[in-house]
Amino acid sequence: VQEVTDKIADAVEQLMDLGVEKVVVTTLPPIGCTPGLSKTKDGVYDAKCDGQKVTSIHNAYLEEKVFQYKDVFNLDLKAAFNRHADPSSRSKRFKYKLEPCCDSFDQSGYCGQITEDGEPQYNLGAKPDKFFYWDDINPTHAGWKAVVNEFEESIRNFVHI
């Protein structure tokens, strides 16, 4: 984790040395709360969201090494995802916060997988806009839109200051 954040910090410094005045850097989203990692053996999506250690360490290193610069904007994906996808959040935007819209029948399968006969090996939710996640890790279009809308004004203010 530290090696990755060191490389990010180096890249930000290189950009600034080249004359880039404003840099936007994203934190890691809550990886342990993705459907692929929050699904229990019985097929239930557990709201406990274990596995946040890597995300927390990575984001703490970024805070220490990168977000200390006034010309670097923290696009805090962890906080934004938590506001929309965390089952304990008060947000009513998404009915299905941890469940994927597209879910494979096979635990080792993937969304979009088909048999040689062309039979789908996945279920697809009827209303993707009610799901935050599309598959085991990627947000739906509606999920990304909610996150991006949250940052739009603050990014504009950062770039124009």
Side-chain angles (χ1 to χ4, degrees):
V1 173
Q2 192 168 1
E3 186 177 322
V4 171
T5 54
D6 284 345
K7 287 182 181 185
I8 293 170
D10 290 345
V12 167
E13 285 183 32
Q14 287 175 357
L15 287 169
M16 295 172 113
D17 288 346
L18 290 170
V20 175
E21 295 178 14
K22 305 282 183 170
V23 180
V24 176
V25 177
T26 65
T27 60
L28 282 179
I31 295 170
C33 289
T34 59
L37 293 177
S38 65
K39 190 174 186 178
T40 64
K41 292 177 184 173
D42 2 337
V44 174
Y45 293 93
D46 189 356
K48 292 179 188 155
C49 298
D50 291 336
Q52 292 306 319
K53 191 172 185 177
V54 170
T55 297
S56 296
I57 292 170
H58 175 87
N59 292 347
Y61 281 145
L62 284 180
E63 187 65 43
E64 178 183 308
K65 298 173 185 178
V66 177
F67 298 132
Q68 300 302 318
Y69 300 110
K70 67 177 176 78
D71 294 328
V72 177
F73 182 78
N74 177 356
L75 195 67
D76 193 349
L77 292 182
K78 182 179 180 186
F81 275 48
N82 281 339
R83 280 191 285 279
H84 294 287
D86 187 325
S88 64
S89 78
R90 294 183 185 160
S91 172
K92 303 228 186 284
R93 171 71 177 87
F94 298 98
K95 182 175 181 180
Y96 308 101
K97 295 180 179 185
L98 289 179
E99 300 87 353
C101 182
C102 186
D103 197 18
S104 175
F105 296 153
D106 181 1
Q107 195 167 4
S108 61
Y110 57 90
C111 176
Q113 185 176 10
I114 57 172
T115 64
E116 289 181 11
D117 300 335
E119 291 296 314
Q121 298 298 295
Y122 58 92
N123 287 321
L124 192 58
K127 297 182 179 183
D129 61 323
K130 299 294 181 194
F131 291 81
F132 184 81
Y133 284 101
W134 173 253
D135 57 13
D136 281 347
I137 196 162
N138 298 296
T140 59
H141 178 75
W144 274 121
K145 186 175 181 180
V147 168
V148 169
N149 285 344
E150 195 171 310
F151 290 117
E152 188 174 3
E153 185 178 343
S154 55
I155 290 173
R156 283 187 188 171
N157 291 337
F158 172 72
V159 172
H160 287 86
I161 291 177

